[in-house]
Amino acid sequence: MFFQLVKNTLFLAVLGLVSCQAQTNSEKQTHNTERQASPSSTLMVGANQTQAYFNKLKGKRIGIVGNQTSVIFKENGAYTHLVDSLLAHNFNIVRVFSPEHGFRGKADAGEQVKNGMDTQTGLPIISLYGKNKKPTPAQLEGIDLLIFDIQDVGTRFYTYISTLHYVLEAAAENNIAVLVLDRPNPNGAYVDGPVLELQHKSFVGMHPIPIVHGMSIGEYAQMIIGQNWLERGVKPELEVIPVKNYRRQDRYILPIKPSPNLPNAQAIKLYPSLCFFEGTQVNAGRGTALQFQVFGSPFLSKNYFDYSYIPKANEGAKNPKHMGQLCYGRNLSNSKIENKIQLDWLIEAYQNTADKSKFFNSFFTKLAGTAKLQSQIEAGLSPEAIRKTWQPALEEFKKMRANYLIYE
């Protein structure tokens, strides 16, 4: 069931005591899509539609599942954090739950994030990354409603949808309602990749879906529940505030980095393809200013590859792969990217590695969701031949997915 969308939405006023820092110049990208739109058809994320959900929060003890992307946009290009805005309106926020990278989005990929307190609000923060991936009954005590508001990038191995799974499950088990404030999927225009085989289930792939699923967080929440993927088939009370004036084919430029190593639209577009390198001896740009826009390794031939760089410790990569070593590879930061998973770079790197037995590591199969992809590459199959093997499962997924779509 969805909240009724309202036609006239008021933006929250900036309140001096709780206002968050305005966007930096590098972040001041519009939160509208790139298509031409009249004022009446301006895209509006779920969090901005305050008249659609504020009444639902009155008298409730609220938990927020969010991070640095959980914001309400302002007309002047700035924004306030959802938590700050709700506190300013005297709503009762009990505690905050944070996914991978933490509440303010600064932690490395895979870095243990500890429980703590938000210095800006004094609210207790419960980490849902590390050993504690699912909220416990004690952590949910005193909460009537969980608000989930996190910007996703539409890939199976991006762990925010795994956090969504555990939040929905815990909410159902503890009789707590869930409100999803939806946001567009910047990779929402296509569906691609091998469908996960459940024997390879992990936190970077919990459900039998392809790598690029083409769904928003709200749509995906409906699918998790509708497909009975929660433990014992439990079903929480779910409501979604859909994005207003959004079409799946619209290109959406994220105004805020969803995680430290996805700094811009090009990185987000390349991420579904270059993340495979996380399961190999190739660096995917971590430790550079071109995260997920370049790839390279000391083990790749400098005679074949025309680009080189040296990974160094930086925000989001305190100890990047091959730190301090000269890596040879490709710079894709200005390349035109199609709406599909690109296997050519992965195969090219494998074929130009001298010791192929050391190219893949055990994480690769978890990322791929199947052992077949590594075997296909090792057997010398072309990208076209590999992609052909994905099609039957992709068609079945698309049929199932159609039951949960909100947007055209």
Side-chain angles (χ1 to χ4, degrees):
M1 180 183 297
F2 306 134
F3 287 124
Q4 183 180 2
L5 290 175
V6 294
K7 294 183 178 179
N8 298 314
T9 302
L10 298 176
F11 288 97
L12 292 175
V14 178
L15 297 177
L17 293 177
V18 294
S19 62
C20 289
Q21 182 180 2
Q23 292 164 281
T24 63
N25 290 336
S26 63
E27 288 178 324
K28 287 184 178 178
Q29 301 174 28
T30 176
H31 58 276
N32 296 334
T33 56
E34 290 188 340
R35 65 187 171 99
Q36 294 297 316
S38 65
S40 63
S41 63
T42 299
L43 182 148
M44 189 177 295
V45 299
N48 268 77
Q49 299 174 55
T50 56
Q51 288 187 353
Y53 66 92
F54 264 24
N55 284 340
K56 303 290 184 178
L57 309 185
K58 292 180 179 178
K60 297 290 179 64
R61 297 168 297 178
I62 301 165
I64 304 289
V65 186
N67 63 5
Q68 76 284 355
T69 68
S70 311
V71 303
I72 296 177
F73 295 107
K74 303 296 180 180
E75 289 182 313
N76 63 358
Y79 50 77
T80 57
H81 198 280
L82 177 69
V83 169
D84 298 332
S85 295
L86 294 185
L87 287 174
H89 283 76
N90 297 315
F91 290 115
N92 182 15
I93 301 178
V94 176
R95 62 188 63 93
V96 172
F97 299 86
S98 66
E100 183 177 7
H101 306 295
F103 182 55
R104 298 294 174 181
K106 299 295 185 181
D108 281 9
E111 181 180 348
Q112 185 84 14
V113 180
K114 297 180 180 179
N115 296 341
M117 180 177 290
D118 182 38
T119 57
Q120 295 187 36
T121 63
L123 287 169
I125 298 177
I126 304 298
S127 172
L128 298 180
Y129 188 74
K131 293 182 179 179
N132 181 53
K133 294 181 174 66
K134 178 178 175 179
T136 66
Q139 291 165 349
L140 293 172
E141 187 175 356
I143 291 176
D144 305 310
L145 175 68
L146 283 169
I147 299 177
F148 193 102
D149 182 21
I150 297 176
Q151 177 64 62
D152 191 46
V153 300
T155 62
R156 187 183 66 220
F157 35 56
Y158 205 60
T159 61
Y160 297 159
I161 57 173
S162 297
T163 296
L164 174 66
H165 172 107
Y166 283 124
V167 167
L168 292 171
E169 191 170 273
E173 293 168 348
N174 292 275
N175 298 311
I176 297 172
V178 178
L179 170 66
V180 172
L181 303 180
D182 215 4
R183 294 179 183 270
N185 176 356
N187 284 310
Y190 69 110
V191 174
D192 202 12
V195 170
L196 177 133
E197 300 162 354
L198 286 177
Q199 65 265 39
H200 301 298
K201 178 180 177 180
S202 72
F203 197 62
V204 292
M206 296 190 66
H207 309 124
I209 65 167
I211 288 172
V212 182
H213 52 72
M215 305 179 78
S216 71
I217 282 283
E219 292 172 325
Y220 200 85
Q222 294 183 149
M223 187 167 67
I224 288 174
I225 297 169
Q227 292 301 120
N228 295 313
W229 287 340
L230 301 178
E231 189 73 21
R232 299 181 303 280
V234 294
K235 294 182 182 294
E237 178 186 340
L238 171 71
E239 295 185 88
V240 179
I241 301 295
V243 183
K244 191 174 183 180
N245 298 314
Y246 168 60
R247 299 181 307 191
R248 202 174 306 280
Q249 294 298 319
D250 292 335
R251 189 181 183 203
Y252 183 70
I253 305 297
L254 301 191
I256 302 170
K257 289 191 297 186
S259 56
N261 287 290
L262 290 181
N264 54 40
Q266 184 76 345
I268 290 167
K269 196 75 172 174
L270 284 162
Y271 179 70
S273 301
L274 296 194
C275 193
F276 284 128
F277 285 124
E278 300 285 270
T280 74
Q281 52 82 23
V282 177
N283 173 288
R286 294 187 190 272
T288 77
L290 294 172
Q291 304 99 319
F292 289 100
Q293 298 157 83
V294 301
F295 68 87
S297 168
F299 307 113
L300 296 180
S301 172
K302 65 180 180 180
N303 297 320
Y304 181 85
F305 290 97
D306 58 2
Y307 179 74
S308 64
Y309 63 93
I310 299 176
K312 299 178 181 179
N314 64 3
E315 182 185 70
K318 295 181 179 69
N319 187 28
K321 190 183 299 181
H322 306 313
M323 182 166 65
Q325 299 183 60
L326 185 60
C327 296
Y328 297 95
R330 296 270 183 243
N331 184 342
L332 306 170
S333 60
N334 294 313
S335 299
K336 185 176 180 180
I337 308 303
E338 299 179 58
N339 282 337
K340 70 175 186 179
I341 288 179
Q342 176 63 263
L343 292 172
D344 296 70
W345 305 311
L346 178 65
I347 293 174
E348 177 187 43
Y350 173 77
Q351 291 177 343
N352 286 278
T353 296
D355 188 352
K356 295 179 175 55
S357 66
K358 296 180 180 179
F359 184 80
F360 295 103
N361 61 47
S362 60
F363 192 46
F364 184 83
T365 292
K366 289 184 178 181
L367 290 170
T370 174
K372 294 185 180 72
L373 181 57
Q374 179 176 336
S375 298
Q376 290 168 331
I377 293 171
E378 290 173 337
L381 270 67
S382 68
E384 294 74 20
I386 294 173
R387 294 177 60 82
K388 188 175 181 180
T389 67
W390 299 344
Q391 297 313 307
L394 281 174
E395 291 306 314
E396 288 302 311
F397 170 76
K398 289 176 182 178
K399 291 177 185 177
M400 181 265 287
R401 166 181 172 268
N403 296 315
Y404 306 106
L405 298 183
I406 300 170
Y407 313 102
E408 296 180 356

